[in-house]
Amino acid sequence: MTKHAKSNLFTRLSTSNLKRLQQFFQLWSLKTLTNLPDRLTNLWQQLIGSYWFIPTACVLVGILLAPILVTIDEHFDRDTVREITFAFTGDDSAARAIMTTIAGAVLGVAGTTFSITIAVLSMASSQFGPRLLRNFLTDTPNQFVLGAFIGTFSYSLLVLKAIHKYDVGFGVPQLSVTFAIIMAIICALLLVYFVQHMVHAIQASHVIQGASNEAIKNIHYWYKDRCDIEHQRNIEHHDIKQFHHWSATPIYPPHSGYLQQIYFESLITLSQDYGGVVQINSSLGHFVTDKNVIGYFYQRPADHPINLQKTKTPHLALVPRSPDGLFWQRFAGCIRVEQRLTQSNDIAYSLGQMTEIAVRALSPGINDPKTAVNCVQSLTSCLSIMMRCQPPTPYHFYKPVDETDTPDTVSYQPSAILAIVTRIPKISDFIDSSLGEIRRYAAADLMVLKALCQAMIDLNYARVNEAQQQTLIHEIKLIERAGADNLNYHQLADDLTAMCQQAEKFIMSENAQHHYFHYVSDFDAHIRQALQAQSKHI
């Protein structure tokens, strides 16, 4: 290769690297990382969700604590230590024996706790489902107990190394050995707590309650005003009705997987930089491939009033641009697509955990309808909260700032610029994917079908509009149909039909939310009448 060719190759490589470096800084600039708190929250959840994080932190604490206490021992008065009643005052042989015993004991107990954890995970996977394993792995008390054992082991080894035989008076770190003894006692107490905690954690009611609390937390995260109230009232916004007629570019995910997170602030900034509206049609938790169209980018027309506006807003695009390579790189950073479905702020995922427990409890291998009923009741509690709360708005706006009234400014001053349109699942979708899924698996179980019918009655107390009422009526009819087609005895089917008819009549009645519903079967009514007639004769 000639010298001139080498120089051209070096120039091309330098130019290419500089261009990639520039794109990297543009991609990860501050305006792209406007959702930095959400990104840090996701990173923290991933760290807490891993089983190694807290034990590793405890090991690091033990490694750092050992030299600190040994250093304190070197500058501490030995006579003062002897005055402490519970302090260790033995020689180097006794100290070495104690530290060796503590290190071996806590390491053996750590192996025992790990074995117990594996056994519990195996049982939970078969009884509750493999997707519930994360709830056990992310259990902070379990991680802390294991971390305390391993941290004490690491601390004991380092203190054992600091015990010197040649200087009995100065070489025995008495405070460090005393602290190791205290930690050994604490580890013994933690072992007792660990056994009690694991026995409590594998109970079905505890697992269901944990999934319910997670779902309620996600509901409160989403079911609130995500935008300024002024924007939500501006439902007659011009762009809401017109953006579908703009030039549209399909949006594809960066790779296949489950849509786990949408960083709205970063996506709003991206839509304004390119002068358009981003519409996301896929909901959180949906599986998409890299060839799926998950939405569209609608480019604002050149004669749009917003494009003619003179403003000092730095992120307001005066000239709309078509999506280019940098757009797709930045869009890949505005969403999070994972290869596996993990815990996030997805409401459907949290509700799906309770649904999975109920469906698995109804399987022939387990056959535990009472657990399924408990899941139905917990799902009813979560859905009632959703029915009473205001659902999140699908429209997300960008509000210009630093607007000035100058002679060159056009009189059109929008209070908000439409930036993102998302798909918000309706309450009927959540009912069908949770209680409806249980209904399909419990079609031959009268106890669960009655619990589902009672759930519709309980949800009726929380309904706020007629659409929710019609959803409950539709679900009751499906419950009645499932029982009529699958229950083995006609007496059971008639009993369920009577309850569904009474429930439907109750929901359709006026002022039903202020009355108590009590189902009385035909057999109970007959017995009651017979007892009343007998009492009259007496």
Side-chain angles (χ1 to χ4, degrees):
M1 183 179 293
T2 63
K3 183 177 180 179
H4 181 70
K6 291 182 178 179
S7 177
N8 290 338
L9 179 61
F10 178 77
T11 303
R12 290 196 300 270
L13 290 176
S14 301
T15 305
S16 176
N17 291 332
L18 288 175
K19 185 177 180 181
R20 292 179 180 178
L21 187 62
Q22 182 181 5
Q23 291 178 352
F24 175 81
F25 283 114
Q26 290 177 350
L27 179 60
W28 297 106
S29 59
L30 290 178
K31 65 182 181 181
T32 305
L33 294 180
T34 50
N35 285 101
L36 186 59
D38 291 337
R39 299 176 190 272
L40 293 178
T41 301
N42 291 333
L43 178 60
W44 176 251
Q45 290 178 351
Q46 291 178 3
L47 290 176
I48 293 298
S50 59
Y51 197 70
W52 59 267
F53 179 71
I54 293 181
T56 302
C58 293
V59 171
L60 294 178
V61 171
I63 293 175
L64 295 176
L65 196 60
I68 293 176
L69 289 181
V70 171
T71 304
I72 294 176
D73 265 313
E74 294 177 357
H75 299 84
F76 205 78
D77 187 11
R78 300 292 171 176
D79 295 333
T80 305
V81 176
R82 292 186 180 94
E83 294 178 357
I84 303 176
T85 305
F86 59 88
F88 173 79
T89 57
D91 57 4
D92 61 330
S93 299
R96 191 176 290 107
I98 290 176
M99 299 308 299
T100 302
T101 302
I102 292 176
V106 296
L107 185 61
V109 174
T112 302
T113 58
F114 186 76
S115 301
I116 295 175
T117 303
I118 295 299
V120 170
L121 291 178
S122 177
M123 186 187 67
S125 177
S126 60
Q127 183 173 357
F128 302 118
R131 276 161 292 278
L132 272 297
L133 292 181
R134 182 188 178 278
N135 297 352
F136 291 90
L137 291 176
T138 57
D139 192 4
T140 304
N142 292 346
Q143 298 180 14
F144 179 76
V145 169
L146 181 61
F149 292 151
I150 302 178
T152 303
F153 171 76
S154 303
Y155 172 82
S156 301
L157 287 183
L158 295 179
V159 174
L160 182 63
K161 178 179 177 295
I163 299 175
H164 304 288
K165 184 177 181 180
Y166 63 85
D167 190 353
V168 176
F170 179 74
V172 178
Q174 297 175 343
L175 288 179
S176 302
V177 175
T178 302
F179 184 78
I181 296 173
I182 296 175
M183 285 301 301
I185 297 174
I186 294 176
C187 288
L189 297 177
L190 287 177
L191 178 61
V192 178
Y193 166 77
F194 173 78
V195 174
Q196 187 273 340
H197 179 74
M198 293 303 292
V199 171
H200 182 67
I202 61 178
Q203 296 179 8
S205 58
H206 179 80
V207 178
I208 296 172
Q209 184 62 40
S212 177
N213 294 337
E214 188 71 25
I216 293 175
K217 183 179 70 173
N218 292 337
I219 291 172
H220 288 305
Y221 176 83
W222 285 107
Y223 276 64
K224 62 181 180 180
D225 297 340
R226 293 193 56 85
C227 299
D228 190 272
I229 190 65
E230 176 186 354
H231 302 165
Q232 294 197 16
R233 290 175 178 172
N234 194 10
I235 197 62
E236 298 297 332
H237 195 283
H238 180 268
D239 290 347
I240 291 178
K241 299 180 178 180
Q242 298 295 329
F243 77 92
H244 288 98
H245 303 290
W246 300 348
S247 177
T249 302
I251 294 178
Y252 302 92
H255 53 82
S256 301
Y258 295 92
L259 181 61
Q260 292 294 110
Q261 186 78 26
I262 300 176
Y263 299 108
F264 289 100
E265 296 298 331
S266 299
L267 199 56
I268 288 175
T269 303
L270 176 62
S271 65
Q272 289 308 304
D273 287 345
Y274 281 82
V277 175
V278 175
Q279 183 181 23
I280 303 296
N281 295 328
S282 296
S283 300
L284 294 181
H286 283 187
F287 180 80
V288 295
T289 67
D290 55 353
K291 302 300 182 182
N292 278 100
V293 177
I294 63 173
Y296 296 92
F297 174 75
Y298 293 93
Q299 184 176 338
R300 195 173 288 112
D303 58 348
H304 196 280
I306 293 179
N307 301 328
L308 305 177
Q309 183 184 14
K310 301 294 183 179
T311 178
K312 291 185 178 180
T313 303
H315 301 311
L316 182 59
L318 299 179
V319 179
R321 293 182 291 165
S322 300
D324 51 13
L326 183 59
F327 175 90
W328 301 115
Q329 294 181 33
R330 290 180 58 182
F331 178 79
C334 295
I335 62 175
R336 183 164 64 94
V337 180
E338 299 288 347
Q339 296 297 327
R340 59 188 180 90
L341 195 60
T342 58
Q343 179 67 31
S344 63
N345 295 323
D346 184 12
I347 299 176
Y349 180 84
S350 302
L351 298 179
Q353 288 186 327
M354 289 179 281
T355 303
E356 182 175 0
I357 295 174
V359 170
R360 190 171 290 268
L362 293 171
S363 62
I366 299 178
N367 193 19
D368 184 11
K370 187 61 179 178
T371 298
V373 171
N374 292 338
C375 292
V376 170
Q377 294 168 348
S378 297
L379 286 169
T380 304
S381 176
C382 297
L383 293 171
S384 63
I385 296 176
M386 297 176 63
M387 295 178 72
R388 292 192 302 266
C389 295
Q390 179 182 359
T393 174
Y395 304 107
H396 301 266
F397 297 87
Y398 172 81
K399 188 174 183 179
V401 294
D402 295 334
E403 297 180 355
T404 57
D405 296 330
T406 62
D408 297 331
T409 303
V410 181
S411 60
Y412 178 76
Q413 297 285 343
S415 60
I417 301 173
L418 183 63
I420 305 175
V421 180
T422 57
R423 180 182 178 273
I424 304 298
K426 302 184 295 296
I427 187 66
S428 58
D429 298 330
F430 288 114
I431 292 178
D432 180 70
S433 61
S434 57
L435 298 178
E437 190 70 19
I438 298 176
R439 167 178 47 79
R440 286 183 278 272
Y441 281 88
D445 195 303
L446 180 63
M447 178 190 298
V448 181
L449 290 178
K450 279 190 171 183
L452 290 171
C453 184
Q454 183 64 42
M456 299 302 112
I457 299 170
D458 295 337
L459 290 176
N460 181 67
Y461 289 105
R463 66 175 176 86
V464 295
N465 53 49
E466 186 177 352
Q468 295 177 356
Q469 182 188 47
Q470 295 301 321
T471 300
L472 300 179
I473 293 297
H474 175 71
E475 189 66 25
I476 285 181
K477 292 181 178 179
L478 292 177
I479 295 172
E480 181 181 355
R481 176 69 179 272
D485 294 343
N486 296 277
L487 291 176
N488 295 329
Y489 302 100
H490 68 86
Q491 293 89 347
L492 302 180
D494 294 341
D495 186 20
L496 179 64
T497 300
M499 181 177 182
C500 290
Q501 291 177 354
Q502 292 183 25
E504 181 179 354
K505 183 179 179 181
F506 176 79
I507 293 175
M508 293 297 295
S509 63
E510 296 182 1
N511 205 22
Q513 294 174 318
H514 300 282
H515 295 282
Y516 176 73
F517 174 83
H518 178 65
Y519 167 65
V520 179
S521 64
D522 295 338
F523 178 76
D524 292 338
H526 176 72
I527 294 297
R528 182 178 302 177
Q529 291 176 0
L531 291 176
Q532 291 177 354
Q534 184 178 1
S535 62
K536 291 180 180 180
H537 289 296
I538 294 176

